[in-house]
């Protein structure tokens, strides 16, 4: 054999890749407990966002979209603010979802409610993060949602497909990940994948367009 | 395999010598492997349903932030690659250990890029929803194909002198654009954050 170095390099890369892949596949839900990514640094580091970060009080609440996850990483939360009103969507990607609405107070706090009794209490931090709790389906979960930009955010599509009332909600995270629930005649199920660029989604063979959801 | 048991082991292919045995296999095999690697990664990214979440390291606000820093470190070592390659080819004055520097900075850069790519493919997948993402997806697959080709070519003797610099340059260019379309985008969008 001559010059084994390059082959060993490739092999090492392959091993690292396979190792990380198996780690990812086996620890899917453990991450929240081992290293909570968002709660680790609650106060000292306001992200130096290039967007003009508005001062927390006095100025009107800026229109923006926020996406994040619950601290236990079991569900996604997205909030869209517009004109002092807020629309939030809680979605675990399987069965539990809630659309919550309400007003944003001048100090950045908000209490959003849904028809089924779900409640979201949140507070805007530095204009680039919403921290709070959401009570859906009997449990209470803390969440953090960071300010983000298109195509991340909250999407909704309602239509009648083959005579079935369908209502889909999606949360697209800034890293491109997404969760969604599609409710057919009141029965929730994981939603098909949405193209965040165009909002196109195919439901039971029919093409729908999901639109950014606003209050 | 392209192994020639009688060939003289040589630390680095000397640029521009005559090539007496132009066996097509020693170009064909790296090219085929490169294509197979790139297509396999792209196909996996496209077919596999993106998981969205993966584990994170403490101290980083998000996996994407962690990836951005890993990728930045990889680009740094890639620049060391460029400088040390220029030393090896005599375009820059360099120490005697510049070949070791080249080998090890390359290994480090490659190994840093692997976890990033695993996350990309596992959690995000091959995406096409805008031109930045499309370019990143294509070049991400291309990079690992080109890198594999570079590694396999290193095992061949008496390559045309221009071949390794060209392939190495492609690898470096791909990595740079991958970085520009991901980590730099991240830092510009979310701030230079951990």
């Amino acid at each position: 054999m001559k010059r084994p170095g390059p082959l060993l390099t490739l092999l090492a890369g392959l091993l690292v890749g396979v190792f990380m892949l198996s780690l990812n596949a086996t620890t899917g839900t453990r991450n929240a407990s081992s290293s909570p990514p968002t709660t680790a640094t609650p106060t000292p580091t306001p992200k130096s966002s290039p967007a003009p970060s508005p001062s927390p009080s006095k100025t009107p609440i800026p229109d923006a979209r926020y996406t994040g996850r619950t601290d236990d990483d079991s569900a996604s939360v997205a909030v869209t603010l517009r004109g002092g009103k807020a629309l939030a969507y809680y979605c675990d990607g399987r069965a539990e979802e809630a659309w919550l609405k309400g007003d944003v107070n001048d100090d950045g706090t908000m209490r959003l409610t849904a028809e089924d009794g779900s409640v979201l209490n949140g507070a805007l931090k530095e204009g680039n993060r919403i921290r709070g709790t959401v009570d859906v389906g009997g449990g209470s979960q803390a969440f953090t949602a960071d300010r983000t930009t298109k195509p991340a955010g909250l999407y909704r599509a309602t239509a009648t497909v083959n005579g079935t009332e369908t209502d889909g909600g999606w949360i697209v995270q800034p890293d491109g990940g997404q969760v969604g629930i599609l409710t057919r005649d009141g029965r929730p199920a994981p939603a098909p994948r949405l193209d965040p660029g165009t909002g196109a989604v195919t439901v039971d063979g029919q093409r729908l367009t999901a639109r950014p959801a606003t209050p | 395999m392209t192994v020639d048991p009688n060939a003289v082991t040589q630390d680095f292919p000397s640029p521009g010598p005559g090539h007496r045995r132009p066996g097509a296999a020693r170009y064909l095999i790296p090219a085929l492997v490169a294509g197979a690697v790139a297509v396999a990664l792209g196909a996996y990214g496209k077919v596999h349903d993106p998981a969205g979440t993966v584990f994170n390291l403490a101290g980083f606000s998000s996996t994407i932030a962690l990836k951005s820093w890993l990728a930045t470190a990889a680009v740094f070592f890639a620049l060391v690659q460029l400088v040390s390659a220029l030393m090896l080819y005599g375009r820059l004055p360099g120490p005697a250990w510049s070949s070791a520097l080249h080998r090890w900075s390359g290994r480090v850069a490659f190994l840093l890029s692997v976890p990033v790519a695993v996350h990309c493919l596992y959690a995000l997948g091959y995406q096409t929803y805008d031109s930045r993402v499309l370019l990143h997806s294509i070049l991400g697959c291309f990079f690992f194909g080109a890198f594999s080709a570079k590694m396999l070519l290193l095992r061949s003797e008496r390559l045309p002198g221009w071949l390794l610099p060209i392939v190495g340059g492609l690898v470096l260019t791909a990595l740079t654009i991958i970085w520009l379309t991901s980590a730099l985008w991240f830092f510009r969008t979310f701030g230079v954050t951990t």
Side-chain angles (χ1 to χ4, degrees), chain B residues 85-156:
Chain B
L86 288 172
M87 289 171 176
L88 288 170
Y89 280 81
R91 303 299 169 95
L92 282 179
W97 42 269
S98 50
S99 61
L101 178 66
H102 189 77
R103 279 199 294 269
W104 283 100
S105 59
R107 280 177 188 144
V108 170
F110 170 61
L111 291 179
L112 284 172
S113 72
V114 168
V116 181
V118 167
H119 178 273
C120 283
L121 289 164
Y122 180 79
L124 310 179
Y126 184 97
Q127 301 292 344
T128 56
Y129 58 81
D130 70 25
S131 51
R132 174 187 73 82
V133 171
L134 175 64
L135 187 64
H136 183 83
S137 297
I138 291 173
L139 283 174
C141 298
F142 174 85
F143 169 79
F144 286 98
F147 183 83
S148 307
K150 171 78 166 32
M151 288 300 102
L152 294 178
L153 283 172
L154 283 176
R155 294 170 53 81
S156 293

Side-chain angles (χ1 to χ4, degrees), chain A residues 2-3 9 24 50 175 193, chain B residues 10 55 107 124 154-155:
Chain A
K2 64 175 181 182
R3 204 198 289 269
T9 305
N24 281 340
D175 62 13
R193 190 168 172 80
Chain B
Q10 170 181 355
F55 66 91
R107 280 177 188 144
L124 310 179
L154 283 176
R155 294 170 53 81

Side-chain angles (χ1 to χ4, degrees), chain A residues 1-7 9-10 13 16-17 20-21 24-25 31 35 37 48 50 69 151 174-175 193 195 197, chain B residues 10-11 53-56 60-61 64 107 110-111 114-115 118 122 124 127 129 151-152 154-155 157 188-191:
Chain A
M1 288 299 285
K2 64 175 181 182
R3 204 198 289 269
L7 275 193
T9 305
L10 281 179
V16 170
M20 307 246 347
L21 206 57
N24 281 340
N31 44 21
S35 61
S48 55
R69 291 191 171 88
D175 62 13
R193 190 168 172 80
D195 181 350
Chain B
Q10 170 181 355
D11 226 33
T53 59
V54 285
F55 66 91
N56 192 10
F60 284 92
S61 57
I64 307 289
R107 280 177 188 144
F110 170 61
L111 291 179
V114 168
V118 167
Y122 180 79
L124 310 179
Q127 301 292 344
Y129 58 81
M151 288 300 102
L152 294 178
L154 283 176
R155 294 170 53 81
E157 305 298 331
R188 286 171 57 96
T189 309
F190 297 95

